[in-house]
Amino acid sequence: MVELLSNNPPGIWHWLILSTILFSIGLYGVLIRKSAVGVLMSAELMLNAAVLNFVVFNHFVKPFTIDGELMGIFIIAVAAAEAVVAMAIFVAIFKHKKSIDITHIETMKG
Amino acid sequence: MLMLPELIVIAAGFIILLLDLFLAEEKKNILGTLAFAGLLIALGRTLFSFGQQGELFGGRFVVDSVAIWFKIIFLLAGMTTVALSWDRLTGKTTDIASRMKHRGEFYTILLFSTAGMMYLISSRDLVTLYISLELSTIPLFVLVAWDRDNPLCGEAGLKYVILGALSSAVLLYGLGILYGLSGSTDLATISQKITHSPALWLSVAMITAGIGFKLTLVPFHMWAADVYQGAPTPVTAHLSVASKAAGMAFIFLLFYRVLGGAFQEWNILFAVLATITMTLGNLVAIIQQNIKRFMAFSAISQAGYLIMGFLGPFPEGLPSMLFYLYAYIFTNLVVFAVIIFYANETGRENIDDYRGLSRTNPIIAGAMMLGLFSLAGIPPLSGFVGKFFLFSVASKAGFHWLVGVAAINSTISLYYYLRIVRQMYIEPTMEDATTLQISPMLAGTIAITTLGAVFFGIIPFFYETINQTVAASDWWSVITATAR
């Protein structure tokens, strides 16, 4: 088993399929999750799929540069900032409604 | 020196943040003055740098005439938002519920967002492009959810932040594919290296979806109505102009600078998006009761007109788009200034509540009417002239049916804009109506924006100036060089 794996390192296709699966799981989570935190986690999963994309392309397309990895680091940092703002808003909502179930947040419609 | 306007804005933001800690509450009026002064100095520096071109950081930060025109829009929008939020933040409104707190942080976050937008149009690299886009968007999430005590604000913030994170994930995935296809994050290199492939189309589709969120293109417009309604009204005004202009800047960089060579193939995409955006925005606006929701759908349909500037590989495309953007921000800010004035004094936000405004405050009602007519595109106001240039671009690109659709849509929009005019001029006055006192700050804003909305259309050299200065930039040669 170990021999099989070490003789066949994953190629770009495997990584891209992995990132597509991650992205799809994230999108599915955004659509079906009821808790706002769950939705945010799913959106972060989609961002991570994008990061994986950049890093994988960097490794296979331009092996001796760092552009893609640099982008990956920046995306992680920005995603953290986004999560902070989102959490602060969730807390503010929780104070009013005692719940962050997004199916109940529907005062405005139309 | 090229980056001076951005640095001034950021420095002003930090100074306000620090001063906010030390100043006593009654002295905090100076913070608003500082924010306004910072933006004004940056605007002066930007205007002064017309005609200059140059780059910093190995071509990752470029200033040219296109960037300068966009930066002026962002700075004007920022200044107007400071002016519009003045009474609410200083607690001078008659309606207590519309007062806002924490003005130091408000100005800081507003300035950071403005700086992000200014960096956005100057960046020539996927990394800086993405960072500056987020620098302009994340502060807007905070501004939308500003009023912690108001559940509507929180709800608007939640919807905005979740959909914003989703859209930036989709956008990034598209950018990632673009990077994979070209092996570079530099926009010029990408535009030379990409070839036609299904992967490119996937990437274009994802980028359009991600940026369509910011531009409120149908079908990515879902957040707009709720966020516009729930957010504090000055923030709504800022969103409807600055955020939209930032979206236009982003889409301009990607589609003109990167995918410019493939123009002919993707302009049908924009024609379809423009059609459904303006039609749906207009039809849904007819049935709205809340004026902020109404303006949200009006802004959606205006976005449909705006992207008509992307239809063809013509040198007129960008100038007419920029001209309409200017006409749109002035006109939209007139309307929002009146909405804010009325909400400040009475706390009312429904269309029916405007009845009889022409009898109690005739001048303000007149300004509102001019603004609405300009949005609908009645000559000789600036909205008409802007639409004329955009429609001629669409017609030149061969989309005659789209011009027909857009003309019909303008007529529909006139119907619902006239609904408000009817309330103001024909319906009987409210029982308790008295002449409302307007604060000097709002009066000045309404006066200046109304003058802008009227005279941009009448003075012909404005479009000519945009046309000539924009021609000095290299955006057109980029497209013709990569065309195949």
Side-chain angles (χ1 to χ4, degrees):
Chain A
M1 186 67 188
V2 174
E3 204 171 303
L4 181 77
L5 284 179
S6 58
N7 287 341
N8 299 297
I12 187 165
W13 286 107
H14 304 95
W15 289 112
L16 289 183
I17 289 168
L18 176 65
S19 92
T20 316
I21 292 172
L22 267 181
F23 190 83
S24 313
I25 295 173
L27 192 57
Y28 178 71
V30 168
L31 294 177
I32 65 145
R33 281 303 194 110
K34 286 206 170 67
S35 157
V37 178
V39 174
L40 185 70
M41 281 162 61
S42 309
E44 297 289 324
L45 205 56
M46 292 170 73
L47 278 168
N48 286 347
V51 175
L52 186 62
N53 238 354
F54 271 101
V55 175
V56 167
F57 279 133
N58 192 12
H59 182 75
F60 286 97
V61 180
K62 283 263 177 175
F64 298 107
T65 59
I66 56 157
D67 284 343
E69 285 162 10
L70 193 73
M71 184 82 175
I73 290 170
F74 274 118
I75 296 170
I76 292 168
V78 169
E82 211 156 24
V84 167
V85 170
M87 283 301 171
I89 293 173
F90 296 166
V91 170
I93 287 201
F94 188 78
K95 277 184 186 159
H96 288 291
K97 304 219 173 200
K98 300 291 166 226
S99 137
I100 44 167
D101 186 336
I102 50 170
T103 51
H104 294 151
I105 301 175
E106 45 176 18
T107 323
M108 294 179 284
K109 273 182 180 173
Chain B
M1 290 307 274
L2 285 168
M3 211 194 262
L4 207 55
E6 285 87 348
L7 294 179
I8 292 170
V9 172
I10 289 182
F14 274 115
I15 291 170
I16 291 167
L17 190 62
L18 279 177
L19 277 180
D20 186 44
L21 296 173
F22 302 115
L23 283 178
E25 190 57 43
E26 60 269 22
K27 283 186 187 163
K28 281 192 180 172
N29 275 356
I30 196 167
L31 296 176
T33 319
L34 259 176
F36 196 83
L39 290 168
L40 193 67
I41 296 169
L43 180 68
R45 185 67 189 85
T46 312
L47 286 171
F48 183 68
S49 61
F50 250 121
Q52 292 180 11
Q53 296 217 17
E55 52 179 57
L56 294 173
F57 306 127
R60 283 183 172 78
F61 181 92
V62 178
V63 176
D64 59 5
S65 46
V66 180
I68 291 174
W69 280 113
F70 269 106
K71 282 178 191 180
I72 296 172
I73 293 182
F74 300 142
L75 288 166
L76 283 176
M79 281 161 64
T80 326
T81 311
V82 172
L84 290 179
S85 57
W86 189 277
D87 294 333
R88 294 191 170 208
L89 287 166
T90 49
K92 286 194 187 116
T93 60
T94 316
D95 177 47
I96 293 168
S98 60
R99 289 181 191 170
M100 288 152 69
K101 284 177 279 189
H102 314 291
R103 51 192 128 148
E105 289 94 333
F106 184 89
Y107 294 131
T108 309
I109 291 173
L110 181 71
L111 290 180
F112 285 169
S113 171
T114 308
M117 291 169 190
M118 291 166 72
Y119 277 115
L120 176 68
I121 185 62
S122 273
S123 50
R124 290 290 183 277
D125 184 277
L126 288 187
V127 183
T128 42
L129 203 58
Y130 171 68
I131 301 291
S132 45
L133 182 76
E134 292 295 328
L135 178 58
S136 71
T137 312
I138 294 178
L140 289 179
F141 299 151
V142 185
L143 290 181
V144 164
W146 196 254
D147 194 353
R148 271 184 304 188
D149 306 326
N150 182 354
L152 280 188
C153 254
E155 184 177 335
L158 176 120
K159 286 174 177 168
Y160 195 31
V161 78
I162 286 181
L163 288 173
L166 182 67
S167 79
S168 70
V170 174
L171 176 75
L172 268 179
Y173 205 85
L175 293 181
I177 297 172
L178 212 54
Y179 171 68
L181 289 173
S182 61
S184 168
T185 54
D186 179 44
L187 296 191
T189 319
I190 295 175
S191 76
Q192 285 155 10
K193 290 233 176 118
I194 48 165
T195 47
H196 292 270
S197 62
L200 179 65
W201 281 105
L202 178 64
S203 149
V204 169
M206 289 184 118
I207 291 170
T208 314
I211 210 65
F213 163 84
K214 257 192 113 57
L215 271 175
T216 63
L217 301 179
V218 177
F220 318 109
H221 69 288
M222 296 301 189
W223 60 278
D226 290 353
V227 171
Y228 278 40
Q229 186 187 346
T233 319
V235 177
T236 310
H238 191 67
L239 270 184
S240 75
V241 291
S243 171
K244 203 151 283 191
M248 289 307 283
F250 193 97
I251 210 166
F252 163 76
L253 284 177
L254 273 173
F255 281 89
Y256 273 84
R257 286 200 174 273
V258 179
L259 303 161
F263 249 115
Q264 299 293 352
E265 289 125 59
W266 52 257
N267 62 8
I268 183 73
L269 171 80
F270 278 100
V272 172
L273 274 180
T275 311
I276 54 174
T277 303
M278 63 179 90
T279 313
L280 192 125
N282 276 331
L283 291 181
V284 183
I286 295 175
I287 55 168
Q288 296 305 319
Q289 291 306 321
N290 181 293
I291 193 147
K292 279 155 85 182
R293 255 190 125 71
F294 169 88
M295 285 309 289
F297 285 105
S298 149
I300 290 172
S301 69
Q302 300 288 337
Y305 301 125
L306 266 174
I307 58 166
M308 284 169 77
F310 283 103
L311 280 177
F314 308 122
E316 294 95 336
L318 176 65
S320 44
M321 194 184 83
L322 268 176
F323 182 85
Y324 194 70
L325 211 49
Y326 271 89
Y328 169 73
I329 68 158
F330 275 104
T331 318
N332 221 32
L333 287 173
V334 176
V335 178
F336 268 109
V338 176
I339 293 174
I340 288 167
F341 152 74
Y342 200 64
N344 278 356
E345 298 306 316
T346 63
R348 293 182 175 131
E349 281 183 355
N350 278 341
I351 292 177
D352 301 343
D353 297 336
Y354 282 77
R355 62 177 193 266
L357 187 66
S358 70
R359 255 111 38 209
T360 54
N361 293 69
I363 298 174
I364 292 167
M368 178 86 155
M369 185 179 71
L370 279 178
L372 292 170
F373 280 172
S374 177
L375 279 179
I378 289 183
L381 300 166
S382 55
F384 165 76
V385 186
K387 271 185 189 159
F388 175 79
F389 289 130
L390 281 177
F391 290 5
S392 61
V393 169
S395 160
K396 202 173 168 189
F399 290 99
H400 299 295
W401 57 270
L402 182 60
V403 178
V405 171
I408 294 169
N409 267 300
S410 295
T411 322
I412 301 175
S413 72
L414 183 61
Y415 167 73
Y416 65 73
Y417 288 127
L418 277 174
R419 260 179 72 204
I420 300 179
V421 177
R422 192 184 122 223
Q423 293 290 345
M424 292 192 303
Y425 279 86
I426 298 175
E427 294 289 312
T429 319
M430 288 228 225
E431 301 76 41
D432 55 343
T434 47
T435 301
L436 302 168
Q437 278 299 319
I438 187 162
S439 70
M441 208 67 185
L442 276 178
T445 317
I446 292 178
I448 291 172
T449 46
T450 311
L451 283 179
V454 173
F455 284 109
F456 272 17
I458 298 173
I459 301 173
F461 69 71
F462 191 70
Y463 177 78
E464 282 302 311
T465 318
I466 293 183
N467 208 350
Q468 279 162 13
T469 48
V470 160
S473 162
D474 66 335
W475 70 280
W476 181 242
S477 59
V478 168
I479 293 170
T480 39
T482 52
R484 22 176 181 258

